[in-house]
Amino acid sequence: AQKVTQAQTEISVVEKEDVTLDCVYETRDTTYYLFWYKQPPSGELVFLIRRNSFDEQNEISGRYSWNFQKSTSSFNFTITASQVVDSAVYFCALSEAERQLTFGSGTQLTVLP
Amino acid sequence: NAGVTQTPKFQVLKTGQSMTLQCAQDMNHEYMSWYRQDPGMGLRLIHYSVGAGITDQGEVPNGYNVSRSTTEDFPLRLLSAAPSQTSVYFCASSYDGTSSYEQYFGPGTRLTVT
């Protein structure tokens, strides 16, 4: 069965600090997909990134970067020079067998001014 | 495009009542799903559908029914509401018939069962 663990329940940083959100997953499949979603205080879910299991290349998008390591079953998310608007709950998710998406329990990030 | 719409936004039910949460998408997406979000537990899959006429159970299906008679609509029915079903419910859709691609989420329905 697939499983996603986000061990950091809450993180608090001061604006302009870098912060990394951890995500560890378990799956028996060789083909799977990993995602990050953001849920700001307004409550909607915003897609950030999708990665398939055959692409371990790291991704950078502006202040956001993702480090995918199959050897440690991790898909970590780093925000560089954090801003108050980054305050949100961030979810890591895993799609296995193309049928079901399993979410981690989320990390509440608070960026203080 | 309106994307994924959900109604109602808020609902209060008494134990034992039944109701239907509506979900519709106008993107011609094959895959649709329902999640519930509870504090500290992330989102958990209730039911999903890979196309019209096809539905399947997710992680927490008990107490809920779904049907998919059209590509656009995927209603979630609570048969006999219980306090344990107090939660925020999200509907989502994805452009192919799998969960392998980005899912577009509706704004959510906050349900309270007293």
Side-chain angles (χ1 to χ4, degrees):
Chain A
Q2 56 191 46
K3 185 179 175 183
V4 178
T5 301
Q6 293 182 257
Q8 304 152 309
T9 307
E10 295 182 21
I11 300 177
S12 183
V13 299
V14 176
E15 206 170 19
K16 297 184 184 173
E17 287 184 355
D18 299 346
V19 57
T20 295
L21 310 183
D22 297 333
C23 173
V24 174
Y25 62 92
E26 293 177 29
T27 177
R28 288 180 229 168
D29 276 9
T30 55
T31 301
Y32 53 90
Y33 301 85
L34 293 161
F35 302 81
W36 277 94
Y37 285 86
K38 173 182 179 179
Q39 187 176 43
S42 52
E44 75 271 23
L45 284 146
V46 178
F47 166 79
L48 295 178
I49 191 171
R50 167 185 179 265
R51 227 347 147 236
N52 74 55
S53 53
F54 299 108
D55 183 2
E56 282 193 78
Q57 196 169 10
N58 289 337
E59 175 105 5
I60 297 175
S61 176
R63 296 184 297 105
Y64 294 172
S65 61
W66 290 269
N67 183 358
F68 177 27
Q69 290 196 334
K70 287 175 74 171
S71 61
T72 56
S73 297
S74 64
F75 186 41
N76 296 337
F77 172 32
T78 297
I79 302 175
T80 302
S82 59
Q83 300 176 0
V84 172
V85 293
D86 295 327
S87 296
V89 181
Y90 291 87
F91 292 100
C92 181
L94 167 68
S95 171
E96 183 186 58
E98 300 188 338
R99 290 273 170 158
Q100 299 193 27
L101 193 62
T102 298
F103 283 81
S105 55
T107 297
Q108 169 73 61
L109 173 66
T110 302
V111 181
L112 302 168
Chain B
N1 285 352
V4 179
T5 57
Q6 290 182 238
T7 55
K9 283 191 173 8
F10 301 95
Q11 182 70 49
V12 179
L13 289 179
K14 294 187 176 175
T15 297
Q17 287 184 317
S18 62
M19 79 159 295
T20 299
L21 306 186
Q22 301 291 345
C23 174
Q25 51 91 11
D26 60 359
M27 298 173 282
N28 202 33
H29 285 175
E30 293 293 330
Y31 186 94
M32 295 187 73
S33 53
W34 275 103
Y35 296 87
R36 59 177 289 172
Q37 182 177 18
D38 302 296
M41 301 189 74
L43 282 82
R44 293 182 293 168
L45 183 65
I46 304 171
H47 285 284
Y48 66 97
S49 168
V50 299
I54 306 169
T55 63
D56 207 345
Q57 295 181 352
E59 181 185 354
V60 289
N62 292 342
Y64 307 95
N65 270 358
V66 292
S67 59
R68 185 97 180 268
S69 55
T70 67
T71 298
E72 295 77 22
D73 300 299
F74 191 43
L76 177 72
R77 280 181 286 278
L78 278 70
L79 309 171
S80 177
S84 61
Q85 293 179 304
T86 293
S87 188
V88 180
Y89 291 84
F90 288 97
C91 178
S93 72
S94 181
Y95 86 95
D96 81 343
T98 77
S99 61
S100 306
Y101 289 86
E102 170 192 354
Q103 296 206 31
Y104 295 78
F105 285 85
T109 295
R110 186 173 294 272
L111 175 69
T112 302
V113 182
T114 61

